[in-house]
Amino acid sequence: MQIYLYSNSMTVSSTDKVTDAQTILHTNSQGDWTYAAPRLYPHQWLWDSCFIAIGISTYNSLRAANELLSLRRGQWANGMLPHIIFSDAPDYWLGPEFWQSHKAPYAPRHIETSGITQPPVLAIAAKTIADRLDSTRRKRFLEEIYPVIIKYHTWLFTERIHQGTLLQLIHPWESGLDNTPPWMYLLKQYHTSPHSITPPGALQHVYPVRKDLRVVAKNQRPTNGDIHRMVDLALMYRLADYQSKHILNKPLIAVEDLTFNVLAVRASDALEEIAAYLGVSLPPIIKKGHKQLINIFPELWDAKAGEFFSRDSKTKKLISQTSIATFLPLYAGLATEEQAATLVKQLKNTDTYGAPYPVPTTSMASSYFSEERYWQGPIWVNMNWLILQGLEKYGFYREAKDLRTKTIQLIESKGFYEYFSPLTGAPAGAGNFSWTAALYLELLSNN
Ligand code: 2M8
């Protein structure tokens, strides 16, 4: 393996860590693509792969391009990119036998996948990597990846949007922030309401055993209640062949999710640039969808709370449970200057998001807050990376630099873990986590 070292200004400890990060990515590599993590997640996840590719492109842009191109093999005939493409590894507890994609009409025949999607980071990653390739390879790579993205965005803007809505998600796993408070709050409401998704316990016989708890401590993972509700929902979609067009005609749950929509806007910007580079024009449905997102996005701002929230698409009400997603609109330039200033105040508020180790995935004042429990408190490196770019975009350079330095130092002192306590910095979740390693490299390369 070729180890690439950054500038002379790097400390000895950083250069050692660069080697460690590249070694993790190399060890987790399965040829053209990379395990999200060796024991807990030995498969390919959609947005993980995009973050991983960005990190790899700091030292091997060709391998990074292949990481993204490898996602093609899992694309459904209707254009959906599934959130997981399965390998043969037997370990994952929500594996192919749970999803049974081979029974769904649009799923690929030669490979097993999940039946839902994940945040659309692909166009963003493709643009980043293309910029790091020489001009001949750039053109070839973009010509290959462009149709994949077009098919995917066309699916998003056909199946996941209605008049007057943002893109709608049908499952918390699609948001990437699995057990994040707004989703868990809403899911519980529906589950216990008279219009309950499934009667509690009705699907008990198909619940998979929680093998994740053999790898990671119980209090670091979603609760049984949350997992059961998420599993129920996925099983209902399995019965509907994962046809979201039909599912959304009479949805069990539909959320205009902040994280997903922010990334979709930024991805659409990137796609526009890619099309311009290739000298082609985007399909009208994509142009129209992009505009619709930008026009409707301001409706997610709650002036009284001073926060952005995801929206329950069925009731049209904001889900006013705070989460780290409130800061993400900065990344796509979707906040006004005034909103940005309010958000930065929140980031510094030591009662809410101004934790000793930033940025907690929910406010420390939220009743959901737990320093260890997955997306309900711990720090995640991909979130910090998105937020600090948002801060830079709005001219908060000092705050961005501070967040970058603290994130780098945290990883260097604690290791390449999946997440960390915002109170003590203690590592949690899976070790040798690929996107932590990858984004560490990316953070350093722009330092
Ligand atoms: C987590 O999600 C999976 C389900 O998709 C799980 O909990 O088993 C999330 O952190 C998600 O964002 C991530 O892509 C995935 C793999 O790292 O793990």
Side-chain angles (χ1 to χ4, degrees), residues 198-343:
T198 51
L203 296 164
Q204 285 281 8
H205 61 290
V206 275
Y207 283 148
V209 178
R210 287 204 61 179
K211 284 199 209 150
D212 57 327
L213 302 183
R214 295 180 194 162
V215 185
V216 175
K218 197 171 161 210
N219 46 351
Q220 295 178 13
R221 294 285 298 171
T223 61
N224 275 339
D226 285 343
I227 283 290
H228 285 175
R229 283 182 278 275
M230 290 194 261
V231 164
D232 265 14
L233 198 53
L235 288 170
M236 298 301 285
Y237 298 150
R238 186 171 96 188
L239 293 174
D241 283 336
Y242 306 110
Q243 302 214 38
S244 54
K245 205 174 187 168
H246 299 160
I247 291 168
L248 278 167
N249 277 339
K250 209 168 172 280
L252 301 166
I253 190 165
V255 172
E256 293 167 66
D257 180 81
L258 260 178
T259 309
F260 199 96
N261 278 284
V262 164
L263 292 169
V265 168
R266 184 69 189 251
S268 303
D269 296 342
L271 188 57
E272 241 170 49
E273 291 176 50
I274 294 173
Y277 173 84
L278 292 174
V280 293
S281 60
L282 288 169
I285 191 162
I286 292 184
K287 285 193 198 163
K288 187 173 158 240
H290 187 188
K291 266 202 203 115
Q292 183 165 330
L293 299 190
I294 292 171
N295 290 340
I296 295 180
F297 198 87
E299 294 174 17
L300 301 189
W301 176 252
D302 180 335
K304 208 158 151 222
E307 285 186 61
F308 285 100
F309 291 118
S310 294
R311 182 160 68 181
D312 177 348
S313 216
K314 284 171 73 172
T315 61
K316 284 283 165 209
K317 285 202 182 117
L318 295 181
I319 314 166
S320 43
Q321 292 292 335
T322 189
S323 82
I324 194 167
T326 190
F327 302 110
L328 298 188
L330 302 175
Y331 173 69
L334 288 164
T336 62
E337 299 287 328
E338 203 186 324
Q339 289 165 348
T342 307
L343 292 173

Side-chain angles (χ1 to χ4, degrees), residues 22-83:
Q22 293 185 13
T23 304
I24 287 172
L25 292 168
H26 183 69
T27 311
N28 291 350
S29 172
Q30 300 301 303
D32 280 350
W33 63 272
T34 314
Y35 281 170
R39 283 185 65 214
L40 191 59
Y41 310 115
H43 304 283
Q44 185 175 22
W45 263 262
L46 178 55
W47 79 332
D48 296 58
S49 224
C50 296
F51 295 128
I52 290 165
I54 290 171
I56 291 178
S57 72
T58 60
Y59 61 96
N60 186 345
S61 41
L62 266 186
R63 169 64 181 78
N66 285 335
E67 176 88 26
L68 296 186
L69 288 169
S70 75
L71 290 165
R72 268 187 303 199
R73 75 196 195 290
Q75 188 159 37
W76 286 34
N78 60 4
M80 183 184 78
L81 287 172
H83 94 299

Side-chain angles (χ1 to χ4, degrees), residues 334-359:
L334 288 164
T336 62
E337 299 287 328
E338 203 186 324
Q339 289 165 348
T342 307
L343 292 173
V344 171
K345 267 195 209 141
Q346 277 295 347
L347 265 181
K348 293 181 178 171
N349 182 340
T350 53
D351 291 330
T352 57
Y353 287 94
Y357 296 83
V359 178

Side-chain angles (χ1 to χ4, degrees), residues 185-186 261 438:
Y185 170 80
L186 196 66
N261 278 284

Side-chain angles (χ1 to χ4, degrees), residues 36 41 45 47-48 83 92 118 176 178 221 374-375 380 433:
Y41 310 115
W45 263 262
W47 79 332
D48 296 58
H83 94 299
Y92 187 57
Q118 235 186 0
D178 297 14
R221 294 285 298 171
Y374 216 39
W375 290 93
W380 288 75
F433 189 65

Side-chain angles (χ1 to χ4, degrees), residues 6 17-18 21-22 25 50-60 64 124-125 127-129 131-132 266 331 381-382 385-386 388-389 392 404 407-408 411 416 434-447:
Y6 290 92
K17 299 294 173 193
V18 167
Q22 293 185 13
L25 292 168
C50 296
F51 295 128
I52 290 165
I54 290 171
I56 291 178
S57 72
T58 60
Y59 61 96
N60 186 345
I124 303 169
K127 175 73 177 55
T128 309
I129 286 152
D131 290 345
R132 293 173 184 173
R266 184 69 189 251
Y331 173 69
V381 173
N382 63 339
W385 179 68
L386 294 170
L388 69 87
Q389 290 175 81
E392 281 164 358
R404 181 186 298 274
T407 309
I408 290 173
I411 300 169
F416 298 94
S434 295
W435 90 40
T436 301
L439 293 180
Y440 168 75
L441 296 172
E442 180 66 16
L443 284 167
L444 267 189
S445 75
N446 283 310
N447 204 3

